[in-house]
Amino acid sequence: MKNITTPATTVERLPLYYRYLQKMDSQGVEVISSKELGDGLGIPSTQVRKDLSYYGEFGRRGVGYEVSDLMKNLERILGLDNNWEVVLVGAGNLGQALVNYGGFKKLGLDISYVLDIDPDKVKSNLGNAQVYSMKELRRVVTDNDIRIGIIAVPSEVAQQVADELIDGGIKAIWNFAPIHLRVSEDIKVRDEDLSIGLISLSYYLSN
Amino acid sequence: MKNITTPATTVERLPLYYRYLQKMDSQGVEVISSKELGDGLGIPSTQVRKDLSYYGEFGRRGVGYEVSDLMKNLERILGLDNNWEVVLVGAGNLGQALVNYGGFKKLGLDISYVLDIDPDKVKSNLGNAQVYSMKELRRVVTDNDIRIGIIAVPSEVAQQVADELIDGGIKAIWNFAPIHLRVSEDIKVRDEDLSIGLISLSYYLSN
DNA sequence: TAGATTGTTAATCGATTAACAATC
DNA sequence: TAGATTGTTAATCGATTAACAATC
């Protein structure tokens, strides 16, 4: 294991490997080769091996990777064993869809707190999470020591929400508002801009 | 304009430029420099100019880019002037959120048809779209000559839905199911795997 | 041993960035 | 002309892939 920075693209693929291993594991597969893993995801086996090699040597030459072992290693690498609690701001259509998205809990990630400006939504429940008033944002984040926040509010208020989240102690933001958030260096922002997906398909059809 | 293939990363940024120009345009801005455009999006001005240069020369040296002119060029490049009709398969939480997502119509993209397996949802309306039965999938796609499909169904049925969409004439798929779709070379698939976003934040917090 | 598959090096390919002549 | 900003070349940086020795 060399001390080289991991490519950003590798980090994007690790979750795919992890989820495919979960699937194989549930089907009783005990050992998998980089070829089989890659084929299941449309990724070359060379790339699978290279990606994993940034973190250690998890396979056996001539044999392959033990599924349960590699899963545990990926859980550790991805930090999924932290069982992060996540706060979601904005309980509109998209926010509700995220809360009810089944995929997160299987990954040790849990949207535990939801905030919304609409008083009708406050004091009700959404999935497993209770909905709080926007005024309680800072308190909810601080009191529960939450590090990950999701922004699913209109663009106009996204920056303000980000500032408040960070003020409360949030270190990583998943931003669905189609706007560039200005945050300090130590805050990680991941933009999930849904219209890019559809526009890029339009582009490919036209070219 | 050289005959070089455009980087995939450039295509991802064009929608950002376009939307930022829309915003500036609505604020009455008539001319914008690559520096201003880039600063608004967190992208270096050099990259803005390079990206645009793959498609032509849209600016004036010493001056900048005329907002309305560059917007029109980007509309053409991105194919937004085609006013694509889009079919959405799966009217669950995520599907509903997508239909109600305001950002698409402003871009000349319209989710006009929605299909779902649940008979209760069929014959009702969702946004502007009517909901059809899954059995009508092929017919809806073919009759309306639709090229873009969105898959928002559970993973287990995603491949089958993809096959049917393609059979009906779909050429581009926006896939929200966390599974690798197997399609022929001429079909463009864009995966939008929502759990990757959250997992990658977990990764960055742990490293 | 023969066959399979890993981990890693080196080569290739692709994307970003710096620098600057062209020009408004 | 002086200042600003584009479009483009060349250099740098980063990611993928091919090839293969190591080894089960």
Side-chain angles (χ1 to χ4, degrees):
Chain A
M1 185 177 171
K2 301 292 156 35
N3 198 8
I4 287 177
T5 40
T6 313
T9 43
T10 290
V11 178
E12 300 285 294
R13 284 186 294 264
L14 295 180
L16 302 180
Y17 300 153
Y18 180 69
R19 205 172 33 209
Y20 195 74
L21 289 167
Q22 276 190 326
K23 186 176 166 188
M24 291 298 104
D25 187 54
S26 74
Q27 291 176 13
V29 175
E30 293 182 353
V31 173
I32 194 168
S33 70
S34 59
K35 178 87 170 42
E36 291 163 326
L37 182 44
D39 284 353
L41 296 164
I43 295 170
S45 68
T46 305
Q47 184 136 68
V48 172
R49 296 201 299 281
K50 173 115 264 221
D51 284 341
L52 296 175
S53 78
Y54 290 107
Y55 302 95
E57 304 188 3
F58 305 122
R60 282 211 299 162
R61 289 164 196 241
V63 180
Y65 302 86
E66 201 188 318
V67 172
S68 65
D69 180 60
L70 186 52
M71 276 176 66
K72 278 195 207 91
N73 275 296
L74 284 172
E75 274 165 29
R76 179 180 47 75
I77 294 163
L78 292 170
L80 298 177
D81 50 2
N82 284 89
N83 283 95
W84 303 104
E85 283 190 325
V86 177
V87 60
L88 164 69
V89 188
N93 279 294
L94 183 60
Q96 289 178 38
L98 291 172
V99 169
N100 292 308
Y101 187 72
F104 298 143
K105 193 161 285 173
K106 260 203 295 196
L107 298 164
L109 297 163
D110 198 11
I111 299 179
S112 323
Y113 307 92
V114 178
L115 293 102
D116 198 273
I117 203 169
D118 180 354
D120 290 349
K121 285 180 185 153
V122 177
K123 299 290 169 195
S124 69
N125 278 336
L126 208 56
N128 294 320
Q130 206 193 327
V131 183
Y132 293 86
S133 156
M134 218 62 159
K135 289 173 201 146
E136 302 188 75
L137 201 166
R138 203 185 178 295
R139 190 188 61 71
V140 167
V141 171
T142 307
D143 287 4
N144 300 288
D145 199 25
I146 301 175
R147 301 285 165 76
I148 302 180
I150 306 177
I151 293 183
V153 299
S155 297
E156 298 79 43
V157 293
Q159 180 65 57
Q160 191 197 321
V161 167
D163 293 342
E164 290 178 28
L165 284 170
I166 292 165
D167 194 43
I170 286 284
K171 296 295 177 198
I173 293 175
W174 198 18
N175 174 40
F176 285 84
I179 193 173
H180 176 65
L181 297 177
R182 290 166 201 284
V183 302
S184 59
E185 284 279 305
D186 59 322
I187 307 294
K188 173 79 186 172
V189 174
R190 179 174 174 114
D191 290 308
E192 198 84 40
D193 187 334
L194 289 180
S195 40
I196 292 180
L198 207 40
I199 299 180
S200 75
L201 292 181
S202 168
Y203 173 87
Y204 283 107
L205 288 181
S206 312
N207 291 274
Chain B
M1 186 177 171
K2 300 293 158 34
N3 197 7
I4 286 178
T5 40
T6 314
T9 44
T10 291
V11 178
E12 301 285 294
R13 284 186 294 265
L14 296 180
L16 302 180
Y17 301 152
Y18 180 68
R19 207 173 32 209
Y20 194 75
L21 290 167
Q22 276 189 327
K23 187 176 164 187
M24 290 300 104
D25 187 53
S26 74
Q27 291 175 14
V29 176
E30 292 184 352
V31 173
I32 194 169
S33 70
S34 60
K35 177 87 170 44
E36 292 165 323
L37 182 45
D39 284 352
L41 296 164
I43 295 171
S45 68
T46 306
Q47 184 134 70
V48 172
R49 296 200 299 282
K50 174 116 264 222
D51 284 342
L52 296 175
S53 79
Y54 290 108
Y55 303 97
E57 305 189 2
F58 306 122
R60 283 211 299 163
R61 290 165 196 238
V63 180
Y65 301 87
E66 201 189 317
V67 173
S68 66
D69 180 60
L70 186 51
M71 278 178 64
K72 277 195 207 91
N73 275 297
L74 283 172
E75 274 165 30
R76 179 181 47 76
I77 293 163
L78 292 169
L80 297 177
D81 50 2
N82 285 90
N83 283 94
W84 301 105
E85 283 190 324
V86 177
V87 61
L88 163 69
V89 188
N93 279 293
L94 183 61
Q96 290 178 37
L98 291 171
V99 169
N100 293 308
Y101 187 73
F104 297 144
K105 193 160 287 172
K106 257 202 298 195
L107 298 164
L109 297 162
D110 198 11
I111 300 180
S112 324
Y113 307 92
V114 179
L115 294 100
D116 198 272
I117 202 169
D118 180 354
D120 290 349
K121 285 179 184 155
V122 177
K123 300 289 167 194
S124 69
N125 278 337
L126 209 56
N128 294 322
Q130 206 191 329
V131 183
Y132 293 85
S133 156
M134 216 64 157
K135 289 173 201 145
E136 302 188 74
L137 202 166
R138 203 185 178 297
R139 190 187 60 71
V140 167
V141 172
T142 308
D143 287 3
N144 301 288
D145 199 26
I146 301 174
R147 300 286 165 77
I148 302 180
I150 306 177
I151 294 183
V153 298
S155 297
E156 299 79 42
V157 293
Q159 180 66 58
Q160 191 197 321
V161 167
D163 293 341
E164 290 178 30
L165 283 171
I166 294 165
D167 194 43
I170 287 284
K171 295 297 178 199
I173 293 175
W174 198 16
N175 174 40
F176 284 85
I179 193 173
H180 175 66
L181 297 177
R182 290 164 201 287
V183 302
S184 60
E185 284 279 303
D186 59 322
I187 307 294
K188 173 78 186 171
V189 174
R190 179 175 174 113
D191 290 309
E192 198 84 40
D193 187 332
L194 289 180
S195 41
I196 291 180
L198 207 40
I199 299 180
S200 76
L201 291 181
S202 167
Y203 172 88
Y204 283 107
L205 287 181
S206 312
N207 289 273

